[in-house]
């Protein structure tokens, strides 16, 4: 185990070192929050691949493979489909807007303060995603290293908070590139083939398991539909994903770099399901399916390789955690606190925006760690996050992009009605029920259409400005100046 510990320590130390390096590059708000909007195809596709393939995709994806076989890939496949749809149909337009948050996009499109309530919903979503990723540290460290749950959460969370606070998006981008390589080697090139060989090969898998394990629809049509509704559409509108789109240096980079990331996600989905299927043959009586990943790594991999694959699991979790953390802090500072401060003081006073965003990352990181210590159920927390996101924000965001008759009153009604419906139905049917997101989305759509048609169309000047920004011609969206090195 000593070699495994060394691999993990070197990996974690490297994450902190990249945070320090990124700090020297983050001298403006644009550099800190969106890496100066200048990532090229290689870095963009790598960092986007890292964030979409997180801890849930790794540990959860293998767990679903253990339960259902190859059809267990559908959760992660749905994430990949969402990434492909976002990249091919929307990313170029989003990159041209030159905004920092989803709420800013809503304000720009509707010409009002629809972004205020949407900011609260988006903040709740990003916080819960950060919390679920932070909880996952406990699973990895506890099962493989026998580390106390509290220590594991504080250690893993503190490292992510440290490098994210130091360098912002530059640090996160650099660490994500390393994490992308580590995940690819650890999961696709090492764990998947080793697990299959240890289980006796694909022939033995088919001989030992029911035929349903090899049915691509074996998990059930309703489950597949829910995954697509929640995760595919969730990928289209999440602040954590949009903020990465804003880092692309060109429309082409956003479109094709994201397409590569989506394709990578599909491959990762299949690999996770195969590992889970092999684990079912090797360990048919695990009490918890989510332990399949850690059990295979601990019991079947040789020393050194085990440390690398563990680092891959940490990489997956850290990618999700850091992306959600900076998104949560960006929303909290730019969409909530700045608006409240401006309303109270009557104007926005000048401030050191890099310092302010660093403070908010630190605060949100502490909140995420404390919340993770208080919660145990990752699935329920993530379900709440995605139900609120899809039920409350999908309609006004896509409506703003696709329907010019949508108004600020319609957007406000959609967010409020959809979010309240989701919360009410989760209380009535249970957090894990499908009804909240189904009916919440329908209620949001109805509220949006009715309120938009019942109110005056959006002002022509607002729409003209919106079209100019979509075309990338608005002078106010010019890149921010960067301070000279001191």
């Amino acid at each position: 185990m000593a070699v495994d510990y060394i691999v993990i320590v070197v990996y974690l130390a490297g994450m902190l070192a990249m945070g320090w390096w990124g700090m020297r590059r983050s001298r403006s708000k644009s550099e800190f929050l969106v890496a100066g909007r200048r990532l090229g195809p290689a870095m963009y596709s790598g960092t986007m691949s890292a964030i979409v393939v997180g801890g849930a995709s790794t540990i959860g994806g293998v767990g679903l493979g253990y339960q259902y076989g190859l059809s267990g890939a559908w959760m992660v496949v749905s994430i990949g489909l969402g990434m492909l749809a976002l990249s091919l149909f929307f990313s170029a337009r989003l990159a041209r807007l030159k905004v920092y948050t989803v709420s800013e996009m809503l304000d720009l499109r509707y010409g009002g303060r629809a972004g205020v309530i949407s900011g609260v919903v988006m903040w709740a979503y990003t916080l819960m995603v950060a919390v679920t990723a932070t909880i996952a540290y406990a699973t990895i460290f506890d099962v493989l290293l026998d580390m106390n749950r509290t220590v594991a959460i504080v250690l893993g969370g503190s490292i992510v908070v440290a490098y994210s606070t130091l360098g912002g998006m530059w640090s996160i981008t650099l660490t994500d590139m390393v994490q992308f390589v580590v995940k690819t080697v650890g999961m696709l090139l090492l764990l998947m083939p080793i697990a299959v060989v240890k289980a006796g090969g694909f022939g033995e898998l088919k001989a030992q398991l029911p035929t349903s394990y090899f049915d691509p629809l074996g998990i059930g049509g309703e489950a597949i539909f829910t995954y697509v509704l929640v995760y595919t559409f969730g990928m289209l509108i999440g602040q954590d994903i949009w903020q990465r789109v804003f880092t692309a240096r060109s429309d082409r980079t956003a479109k094709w770099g994201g397409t590569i990331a989506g394709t990578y996600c599909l491959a990762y989905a299949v690999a996770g399901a195969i590992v889970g299927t092999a684990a079912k043959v090797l360990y048919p009586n695990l009490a918890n399916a989510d332990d399949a990943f850690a059990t295979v790594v601990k019991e079947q991999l040789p020393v050194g390789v085990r440390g690398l694959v563990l680092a891959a699991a940490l990489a997956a979790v850290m990618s999700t955690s850091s992306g959600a953390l900076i998104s949560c802090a960006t929303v909290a500072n730019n969409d909530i606190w700045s608006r409240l401060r401006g309303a109270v003081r009557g104007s926005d006073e000048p401030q050191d925006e890099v310092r302010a965003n660093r403070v908010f990352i630190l605060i949100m990181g502490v909140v995420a760690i404390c919340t993770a210590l208080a919660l145990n159920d990752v699935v329920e927390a993530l379900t709440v996050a995605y139900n609120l996101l899809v039920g409350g924000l999908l309609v006004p965001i896509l409506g703003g992009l696709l329907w010019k008759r949508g108004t600020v009153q319609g957007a406000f009604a959609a967010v409020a009605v959809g979010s309240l419906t989701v919360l009410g139905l989760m209380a009535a049917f249970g957090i894990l029920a499908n009804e909240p997101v189904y009916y919440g989305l329908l209620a949001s759509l109805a509220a949006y259409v009715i309120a938009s048609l019942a109110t005056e169309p959006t002002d022509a000047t607002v729409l003209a400005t919106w079209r100019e920004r979509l075309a990338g011609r608005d002078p106010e969206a010019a890149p921010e100046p960067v301070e000279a090195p001191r």
Side-chain angles (χ1 to χ4, degrees):
M1 286 293 290
V3 176
D4 296 328
Y5 283 119
I6 292 173
V7 171
I8 296 165
V9 169
V10 170
Y11 168 76
L12 294 178
M15 297 299 99
L16 292 174
M18 289 183 183
W20 182 261
W21 186 89
M23 182 177 67
R24 303 178 62 84
R25 300 200 61 167
S26 299
R27 301 189 299 272
S28 71
K29 179 180 179 180
S30 176
E31 294 281 351
F32 191 82
L33 294 182
V34 290
R37 306 185 195 274
R38 49 183 178 163
L39 295 190
M43 291 194 73
Y44 179 84
S45 58
T47 189
M48 190 64 87
S49 297
I51 191 174
V52 298
V53 178
S57 300
T58 302
I59 298 171
V62 172
L64 288 171
Y66 184 87
Q67 287 181 279
Y68 301 104
L70 299 185
S71 66
W74 270 105
M75 183 186 77
V76 186
V77 165
S78 298
I79 295 172
L81 293 177
M83 186 72 253
L84 289 172
L86 175 69
S87 302
L88 293 173
F89 302 116
F90 298 106
S91 62
R93 284 185 284 177
L94 297 180
R96 288 195 292 266
L97 289 175
K98 296 294 189 288
V99 296
Y100 292 99
T101 68
V102 173
S103 296
E104 286 181 30
M105 169 265 172
L106 291 173
D107 281 347
L108 180 65
R109 163 60 181 83
Y110 294 110
R113 290 297 179 183
V116 178
I117 186 173
S118 70
V120 174
V121 175
M122 189 63 77
W123 172 80
Y125 158 74
T126 53
L127 176 63
M128 293 312 294
V129 172
V131 167
T132 57
T134 305
I135 293 174
Y137 296 126
T139 301
I140 298 169
F141 284 126
D142 179 43
V143 175
L144 296 177
L145 303 177
D146 295 322
M147 184 178 287
N148 177 270
R149 178 180 186 275
T150 298
V151 175
I153 288 176
V154 172
L155 175 62
S158 297
I159 291 172
V160 171
V161 171
Y163 73 68
S164 300
T165 301
L166 285 172
M169 188 59 81
W170 270 120
S171 293
I172 292 172
T173 297
L174 293 171
T175 55
D176 276 354
M177 287 301 298
V178 175
Q179 289 160 358
F180 167 68
V181 173
V182 171
K183 281 189 286 191
T184 301
V185 173
M187 186 70 170
L188 300 183
L189 303 183
L190 292 177
L191 183 59
M192 181 182 69
I194 290 175
V196 171
V197 169
K198 293 286 186 177
F202 286 105
E204 189 65 18
L205 296 183
K206 290 184 177 181
Q208 293 286 335
L209 297 173
T211 55
S212 62
Y213 266 67
F214 304 94
D215 180 356
L217 303 179
I219 198 170
E222 184 178 0
I224 294 171
F225 177 77
T226 302
Y227 285 146
V228 171
L229 181 64
V230 173
Y231 293 109
T232 300
F233 285 104
M235 289 293 295
L236 295 179
I237 58 176
Q239 170 68 27
D240 49 340
I241 305 301
W242 278 34
Q243 199 157 340
R244 299 307 177 96
V245 173
F246 300 151
T247 64
R249 72 183 180 195
S250 67
D251 299 355
R252 185 177 179 84
T253 296
K255 182 176 181 178
W256 297 113
T259 301
I260 293 172
T263 304
Y264 175 84
C265 190
L266 298 180
Y268 201 92
V270 175
I274 291 174
V275 172
T277 303
K280 185 66 176 178
V281 171
L282 292 167
Y283 309 99
N285 299 312
L286 290 178
N288 186 348
D290 284 343
D291 289 341
F293 173 84
T295 303
V296 171
V297 172
K298 184 176 183 179
E299 301 294 337
Q300 298 297 330
L301 299 185
V303 174
V305 173
R306 182 169 53 219
L308 181 59
V309 174
L310 173 57
L314 285 174
V317 175
M318 285 184 168
S319 298
T320 302
S321 182
S322 59
L325 180 59
I326 193 171
S327 299
C328 181
T330 302
V331 171
N333 184 24
N334 292 270
D335 294 337
I336 301 175
W337 171 246
S338 294
R339 295 172 194 240
L340 293 175
R341 185 170 58 87
V344 171
R345 298 182 180 179
S347 62
D348 292 328
E349 298 178 3
Q351 63 172 332
D352 183 341
E353 292 187 290
V354 173
R355 180 177 179 275
N357 281 295
R358 278 200 175 104
V359 169
F360 268 88
I361 289 179
L362 181 60
I363 293 172
M364 292 300 105
V366 172
V367 171
I369 291 172
C370 292
T371 306
L373 291 172
L375 296 178
N376 288 311
D377 199 316
V378 178
V379 175
E380 287 194 356
L382 197 61
T383 300
V384 171
Y386 272 95
N387 281 355
L388 279 174
L389 178 70
V390 175
L393 293 180
L394 178 65
V395 170
I397 292 173
L398 293 188
L401 290 169
L402 301 173
W403 191 41
K404 68 178 182 180
R405 185 60 181 84
T407 66
V408 64
Q409 294 87 353
F412 187 88
V415 176
V417 171
S419 300
L420 291 175
T421 301
V422 165
L423 290 173
L425 292 178
M426 282 194 294
F429 289 96
I431 291 176
L432 298 180
N434 292 327
E435 287 85 356
V437 70
Y438 292 168
Y439 295 118
L441 189 56
L442 290 174
S444 179
L445 177 61
Y448 181 71
V449 173
I450 293 170
S452 293
L453 294 177
T455 53
E456 292 294 323
T458 304
D459 185 85
T461 304
V462 172
L463 288 177
T465 301
W466 167 253
R467 286 191 291 270
E468 288 295 300
R469 289 288 285 269
L470 279 178
R473 292 192 293 264
D474 189 82
E476 295 181 3
E480 298 179 29
V482 178
E483 297 177 11
R486 296 175 183 176

